[in-house]
């Protein structure tokens, strides 16, 4: 996997548990990781699937 540029969520509090996101250099994938995860697992999704995740999270938050 090429080097990714990770961004910390703007909703991250002052703790150890933060979501980080990186887009693939080709724009074909979105990668997510959790800073508190000792396994350093990375979830990879298509941009369409990631957009659906965000849309669902926003709808759930406003419900």
């Amino acid at each position: 996997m090429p080097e990714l540029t990770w961004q910390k969520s703007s909703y991250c509090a002052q703790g150890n548990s933060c979501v980080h996101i990186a887009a693939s250099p080709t724009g074909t994938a979105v990668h997510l990781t959790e800073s508190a995860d000792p396994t350093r697992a990375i979830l990879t999704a298509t941009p369409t699937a990631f957009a659906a995740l965000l849309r669902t999270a926003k709808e759930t938050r406003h419900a």
Side-chain angles (χ1 to χ4, degrees):
M1 181 181 301
E3 185 68 28
L4 298 172
T5 303
W6 293 96
Q7 286 183 277
K8 183 169 58 171
S9 169
S10 61
Y11 289 96
C12 183
Q14 296 271 339
N16 292 335
S17 183
C18 296
V19 173
H20 297 261
I21 183 171
S24 67
T26 60
T28 58
V30 177
H31 308 283
L32 297 161
T33 190
E34 163 62 55
S35 60
D37 179 8
T39 68
R40 302 182 61 95
I42 297 173
L43 172 70
T44 301
T46 65
T48 302
F50 182 67
L53 172 68
L54 291 180
R55 195 168 41 254
T56 301
K58 288 178 184 180
E59 289 171 359
T60 303
R61 188 177 74 198
H62 294 296

